Amino acid sequence: MSTDNSAPAVSNFIRSIIDEDLASGKHQGIVTRFPPEPNGYLHVGHAKSICLNFGLADDYQGKCNLRMDDTNPEKESDEYVQAIQEGVEWLGFKWDGQVRFASDYFDALFGYAVELIEAGKAFVDDLSAEEMRAYRGGLTEPGRESPYRSRTVEENLDLFMRMRDGEFADGSKTLRLKIDMASPNINLRDPVIYRIRRAHHHRTGDKWCIYPMYDYTHCISDAIEGITHSLCTLEFEDHRPLYDWVLDNISIGCHPRQYEFSRLELMYALTSKRKLNQLVIDGVVSGWDDPRMPTIAGMRRRGMSPAGIRLFAQRIGVSRSENVVDMSVLEGAVRDALEGEAPRVMAVVNPLKVTLSNYDDALTASRSAPFHPQHPEFGERDVPLSREIWIERDDFAEVPPPKWQRLTAGGEVRLRYSYVIRCDEVVKDEAGEVVELKCSIDHDTLGKNPEGRKVKGVIHWVGAAHAVEAEVRWYDRLFTEARPDAVRGEDGEYVDFRTFLSDHSLKTITAFVEPVVRDAAPETRYQFERVGYFVTDRHEHVAGGRPVFNRTVGLKDSWAK
Ligand code: ATP
Ligand code: MG
């Protein structure tokens, strides 16, 4: 069960189905599952599916299994299995019992295949992959039956055992269901359910040289686990008749129902493990957990919180209509969650030096400031002033635009949690660039308004004597194109999504931050007041050393039109 999933449930068509099934007594409780293939790291689309499956189990006091769909040994690995478990846990969910694996069911799957052969419902085929394609027919044209389809049960049993025992070369034989080569649904045209593949499996090693196919494995795994509602994405809708056919034709005694919902596509991101893996292989990103990756590991390293991602999943909802979502929806949910979660400190990311000419150690006491205006329990820290301070270059304008409330020559502004200062002199270098401001403190303004005038502007700052230099990785969108994998060229073919990689997705800068952050543990999230949300890097930030921050998201949606 999730630990702190406080988001209220929003109804959707799947909930309506569950409500009916419980009301009619069809089910006493629900069992869902999340069935990733461990061939890559989970991405934001999987996060949607996790929140749906585990969220339903939580809300209905049911169970949700985590099952690795590991039937493609060449592409799967333990590294991915670990990352998947970590991702689900980090999002705040717990699976029922042990992690399950489709490979746990290899013996059972083999047994059901024998049963199907014995019932005359499966046969060993010698057609090559190419021949099989030619026999399959097309959307408007029926397929043709394989010449091997009429083999006897005895012959099929003998050949299938010998397939298992390694007598035949990879790809030379398959086991196929005998359904209907004329079916308008191509999935029902005698689908292959076993293939010969001499590949080392991450769990079963070299025990098997035949592996079951996804469609055959998935429905039986669901039934073995007593899944009540098997939720998957819409591209499996046409596979549902096969899902049902298999369960109707074996002696398993449990028939989960499959329901489809639309897959999430996130603009300015990719939601395909294969394409994300390409970015890793190309070295365009530092790894699957690069903070620019829309993977769970990447979003985590970026500083997004589990609550933020769950809020996002709740906001996008679940339906059968197209689910292309703007990145600003994810960023908005993350921001809304961090608003109440992250302590606030001051940091200057584009510094301009200010010298306080009448600074006096004796008079200029440091002040204590709360970490969060609405959360006194977050505590307070000192924000010490010094003769020299850093302010944001943008907070000074020599020629101020109309309604300017920040600092200008001769003008006044309040330093957050501190005094009102006046800019007395602007110092420039030979090129005319402003390099320093000389300002004076109004000592009678600590915690109160100045006498006889209004100072509206408040800016953030960091005392230079105490400031800590931090490395800040300023992340931005990875792509310049909203749908990088959906752009077609003049020839009508898809343009390689890598064409649209942005040159500005990472900029490393040095910022001045309050000293209190130096001791922060890795993965501590902060709001830098007026700047945005930042997190100490999970891997490269060391408490007590030079801080390393990743920029999570700005305070406002800077992409809004
Ligand atoms: P990919 O194409 O990235 O490899 P996949 O669908 O092959 O994705 P699986 O590991 O098979 O990945 O998916 C596990 C579960 O997550 C499935 O139930 C699948 O439907 C769901 N899922 C995958 N991608 C999305 C998505 N973009 N939106 C919602 N659910 C998704
Ligand atoms: Mg898949």
Side-chain angles (χ1 to χ4, degrees):
M1 300 297 114
S2 74
T3 44
D4 62 339
N5 194 348
S6 50
V10 177
S11 197
N12 57 49
F13 77 99
I14 293 172
R15 287 179 168 272
S16 307
I17 291 167
I18 293 174
D19 289 338
E20 277 168 32
D21 289 348
L22 293 175
S24 72
K26 180 176 175 191
H27 297 297
Q28 307 312 310
I30 66 158
V31 187
T32 57
R33 86 288 171 264
F34 173 64
E37 183 182 353
N39 62 347
Y41 280 58
L42 299 177
H43 54 60
V44 64
H46 296 112
K48 167 178 173 170
S49 179
I50 291 169
C51 291
L52 173 64
N53 282 292
F54 286 93
L56 287 170
D58 278 357
D59 292 342
Y60 287 93
Q61 280 102 51
K63 294 173 181 173
C64 181
N65 294 346
L66 174 60
R67 183 200 314 142
M68 305 293 164
D69 229 316
D70 55 349
T71 54
N72 277 313
E74 294 99 328
K75 293 183 184 160
E76 296 158 0
S77 78
D78 281 332
E79 177 198 347
Y80 297 140
V81 170
Q82 290 308 319
I84 289 168
Q85 289 178 222
E86 204 177 304
V88 173
E89 278 179 326
W90 179 76
L91 279 176
F93 298 107
K94 280 203 175 64
W95 47 88
D96 185 63
Q98 301 286 308
V99 176
R100 293 150 213 256
F101 293 84
S103 54
D104 291 340
Y105 312 135
F106 280 175
D107 285 316
L109 291 159
F110 183 82
Y112 289 119
V114 170
E115 213 182 287
L116 286 162
I117 296 172
E118 284 170 340
K121 291 172 179 169
F123 68 101
V124 172
D125 198 357
D126 291 5
L127 290 184
S128 67
E130 211 173 303
E131 289 166 328
M132 220 180 276
R133 221 169 293 128
Y135 273 79
R136 188 175 299 137
L139 287 174
T140 52
E141 154 215 9
R144 281 176 293 140
E145 293 186 350
S146 163
Y148 303 97
R149 199 179 199 260
S150 52
R151 278 176 165 155
T152 64
V153 168
E154 289 66 35
E155 195 183 352
N156 282 321
L157 275 178
D158 173 60
L159 288 170
F160 188 51
M161 298 304 156
R162 289 162 61 196
M163 276 170 67
R164 176 199 58 189
D165 296 340
E167 273 190 44
F168 307 116
D170 282 13
S172 63
K173 285 187 170 35
T174 55
L175 184 69
R176 298 178 70 179
L177 295 177
K178 236 186 249 186
I179 307 183
D180 179 7
M181 285 309 289
S183 172
N185 184 339
I186 293 186
N187 294 299
L188 295 180
R189 294 187 188 169
D190 293 3
V192 172
I193 60 169
Y194 268 92
R195 67 213 192 283
I196 307 173
R197 208 61 210 91
R198 282 176 180 73
H200 190 80
H201 188 279
H202 74 118
R203 293 184 77 243
T204 59
D206 298 317
K207 178 177 174 197
W208 296 90
C209 67
I210 56 171
Y211 289 97
M213 301 295 284
Y214 173 84
D215 281 325
Y216 174 72
T217 309
H218 194 78
C219 54
I220 297 178
S221 305
D222 280 350
I224 289 173
E225 294 177 10
I227 302 301
T228 55
H229 299 81
S230 178
L231 312 177
C232 62
T233 38
L234 273 174
E235 65 272 25
F236 290 101
E237 187 171 22
D238 290 347
H239 298 238
R240 190 183 343 129
L242 177 53
Y243 185 105
D244 290 333
W245 190 96
V246 171
L247 295 181
D248 286 340
N249 284 280
I250 59 173
S251 62
I252 200 159
C254 174
H255 193 137
R257 291 294 157 189
Q258 172 181 307
Y259 299 96
E260 307 87 20
F261 61 95
S262 47
R263 58 191 293 130
L264 165 68
E265 284 183 58
L266 186 62
M267 289 211 235
Y268 296 97
L270 299 169
T271 45
S272 151
K273 280 180 280 191
R274 185 178 58 75
K275 291 172 191 165
L276 292 171
N277 193 24
Q278 196 59 53
L279 298 177
V280 175
I281 291 169
D282 290 353
V284 169
V285 292
S286 64
W288 283 99
D289 71 346
D290 185 295
R292 291 164 293 183
M293 292 282 269
T295 51
I296 294 179
M299 294 190 288
R300 174 178 183 176
R301 199 164 169 203
R302 179 75 171 252
M304 299 184 185
S305 67
I309 296 172
R310 292 196 305 258
L311 182 61
F312 169 68
Q314 188 202 309
R315 285 183 181 170
I316 60 173
V318 176
S319 75
R320 290 173 57 86
S321 43
E322 196 175 89
N323 197 206
V324 182
V325 174
D326 197 84
M327 182 66 98
S328 63
V329 180
L330 173 62
E331 292 174 343
V334 164
R335 196 181 286 125
D336 289 351
L338 288 173
E339 151 91 28
E341 291 173 344
R344 301 179 187 182
V345 294
M346 294 195 285
V348 173
V349 296
N350 186 12
L352 174 62
K353 186 163 96 175
V354 171
T355 302
L356 301 170
S357 48
N358 61 343
Y359 174 83
D360 179 342
D361 259 333
L363 286 172
T364 319
S366 76
R367 243 194 91 173
S368 178
F371 276 117
H372 195 289
Q374 279 89 45
H375 292 285
E377 74 278 11
F378 286 11
E380 302 203 345
R381 83 288 183 192
D382 268 352
V383 282
L385 200 62
S386 56
R387 176 171 301 276
E388 286 177 359
I389 64 171
W390 300 107
I391 68 166
E392 215 68 70
R393 201 160 266 283
D394 291 358
D395 281 336
F396 172 77
E398 213 177 359
V399 184
K403 298 191 181 152
W404 181 257
Q405 295 195 345
R406 294 173 274 164
L407 201 54
T408 183
E412 286 183 297
V413 79
R414 179 175 292 280
L415 300 177
R416 182 105 167 110
Y417 307 119
S418 188
Y419 298 92
V420 169
I421 60 169
R422 173 188 305 279
C423 177
D424 303 315
E425 190 187 337
V426 179
V427 184
K428 296 181 184 174
D429 64 10
E430 280 159 17
E433 181 86 10
V434 176
V435 290
E436 185 188 345
L437 304 175
K438 294 197 190 296
C439 298
S440 49
I441 300 171
D442 181 341
H443 283 286
D444 197 24
T445 55
L446 195 61
K448 62 177 184 182
N449 287 325
E451 293 285 332
R453 60 203 196 278
K454 274 215 172 88
V455 175
K456 285 196 188 146
V458 182
I459 62 172
H460 63 273
W461 56 280
V462 179
H466 315 276
V468 166
E469 261 189 40
E471 175 176 329
V472 174
R473 297 162 181 180
W474 199 275
Y475 290 106
D476 227 312
R477 290 174 190 188
L478 196 48
F479 293 100
T480 54
E481 189 63 47
R483 311 272 315 259
D485 52 352
V487 177
R488 287 178 192 271
E490 278 173 13
D491 56 2
E493 297 292 315
Y494 283 116
V495 177
D496 189 326
F497 58 89
R498 293 171 289 185
T499 315
F500 305 111
L501 280 164
S502 165
D503 294 330
H504 309 289
S505 62
L506 170 59
K507 192 171 65 181
T508 302
I509 60 171
T510 301
F512 292 110
V513 191
E514 287 186 44
V516 68
V517 305
R518 197 205 300 268
D519 297 323
E523 210 172 13
T524 306
R525 303 183 191 94
Y526 287 105
Q527 183 192 108
F528 290 173
E529 291 202 43
R530 301 178 65 229
V531 181
Y533 291 99
F534 294 78
V535 66
T536 51
D537 191 71
R538 264 184 93 189
H539 303 309
E540 284 154 48
H541 172 86
V542 179
R546 184 176 193 248
V548 179
F549 279 98
N550 299 329
R551 175 182 183 259
T552 310
V553 63
L555 288 185
K556 288 197 208 91
D557 180 10
S558 57
W559 293 76
K561 307 263 149 61

